[in-house]
Amino acid sequence: SIATMVNIYVSRHGQDADNANGILNGHRNGPLTDLGRQQATDVAHKMLDAGFRFSTSGNDAPEGKTILSAIYSSPLVRALHTARIFADVLKDGASDEGKVELLDDLIERDFGIMAGLPTSSITAICGEDKILATDTINYFLDPEGAETFPQLIDRAKRLVTHIDELTKDLPSDSSILLVTHGDFGKMLYAAYYDILWEDVLRQFHFGNSEVLLLSKDSFSDKAHVFETQQFNA
């Protein structure tokens, strides 16, 4: 395991047009749909109701509140828009100057030749022996130009090391929020809790705007914090 001192909350972006249309997006850079903006807003308000606040002031959290000391986003617009919705809602009207910060390593998996193709084409293009099939998604393993899941695990470990550096001056019980993507979010979870990537893909769904907790004090089976009930890719 590669536990950090801070608690890391991880959200997937809200729905974008590719999600809605069953298209593999990868590094394609379309905006959120109306539903995607609503998903992000709804989950942000659930977090607000549960006592989360976004503040970079460094003040101690009031009783019963969880202060998010930083919000980091993938550079892709669907994640950045989601992160900004979270930031706006979780400031809760305060005049805090905190802004969403970009971390390149939060970007989605490079889908290689699969980007822009229908999700329904995965098996035909990649072949039965080059996919991992689950109840909700068929995952392609190594088509031309795509990052593999082991490569994503390596990127996730590098990111966690970087986050430890970025947050080293925060109190050890501090919390931050990362806004990322489906495949990379799952591999971040796998790397943090030292779980085989194949097992995570089979057992685990990470829907639009869902939130996970990565914490040295939490077990992997308790990771889902706020879930939305939908199953697009």
Side-chain angles (χ1 to χ4, degrees):
S1 130
I2 47 172
T4 49
M5 294 305 294
V6 297
N7 297 316
I8 302 174
Y9 291 87
V10 183
S11 177
R12 186 181 168 202
H13 60 82
Q15 184 199 66
D16 72 353
D18 281 347
N19 294 154
N21 295 325
I23 299 296
L24 295 162
N25 48 16
H27 289 184
R28 285 159 60 90
N29 203 14
L32 297 176
T33 61
D34 289 345
L35 175 60
R37 286 188 289 275
Q38 191 61 52
Q39 287 170 333
T41 302
D42 288 349
V43 173
H45 279 285
K46 285 183 183 179
M47 293 184 75
L48 190 72
D49 291 345
F52 286 83
R53 299 293 184 272
F54 174 41
S55 174
T56 58
S57 65
N59 294 333
D60 289 340
E63 187 74 27
K65 305 295 184 195
T66 300
I67 297 295
L68 297 170
S69 300
I71 298 178
Y72 296 103
S73 174
S74 155
L76 295 177
V77 70
R78 60 188 183 272
L80 181 56
H81 285 176
T82 300
R84 286 176 174 160
I85 290 169
F86 276 113
D88 288 345
V89 171
L90 293 173
K91 283 182 184 179
D92 194 30
S95 59
D96 190 89
E97 294 299 308
K99 292 183 173 61
V100 173
E101 300 174 65
L102 298 184
L103 283 179
D104 287 346
D105 271 344
L106 286 170
I107 199 168
E108 177 59 300
R109 176 189 187 189
D110 189 334
F111 284 7
I113 62 169
M114 304 303 292
L117 297 177
T119 56
S120 57
S121 69
I122 291 174
T123 305
I125 291 173
C126 297
E128 293 275 1
D129 60 336
K130 292 289 189 179
I131 64 170
L132 188 152
T134 74
D135 291 342
T136 53
I137 296 174
N138 289 329
Y139 293 97
F140 50 82
L141 300 181
D142 57 356
E144 183 182 339
E147 283 181 282
T148 65
F149 287 106
Q151 286 172 329
L152 292 181
I153 291 283
D154 288 343
R155 170 147 67 93
K157 290 177 178 176
R158 181 176 76 214
L159 174 66
V160 172
T161 301
H162 187 197
I163 286 170
D164 252 351
E165 275 296 304
L166 290 171
T167 59
K168 66 180 187 296
D169 295 330
L170 294 175
S172 62
D173 60 347
S174 298
S175 298
I176 64 171
L177 175 66
L178 310 179
V179 182
T180 185
H181 305 265
D183 281 9
F184 185 68
K186 290 169 199 157
M187 293 304 100
L188 185 56
Y189 167 91
Y192 190 95
Y193 286 115
D194 197 22
I195 303 170
L196 292 174
W197 62 264
E198 298 97 323
D199 291 345
V200 169
L201 294 181
R202 288 191 184 99
Q203 298 171 6
F204 187 85
H205 185 70
F206 188 27
N208 288 127
S209 294
E210 287 186 3
V211 179
L212 311 173
L213 171 60
L214 309 182
S215 170
K216 63 185 184 298
D217 301 319
S218 177
F219 296 104
S220 60
D221 61 347
K222 306 295 187 194
H224 275 83
V225 184
F226 298 102
E227 295 185 60
T228 52
Q229 295 304 315
Q230 50 74 47
F231 292 96
N232 57 34

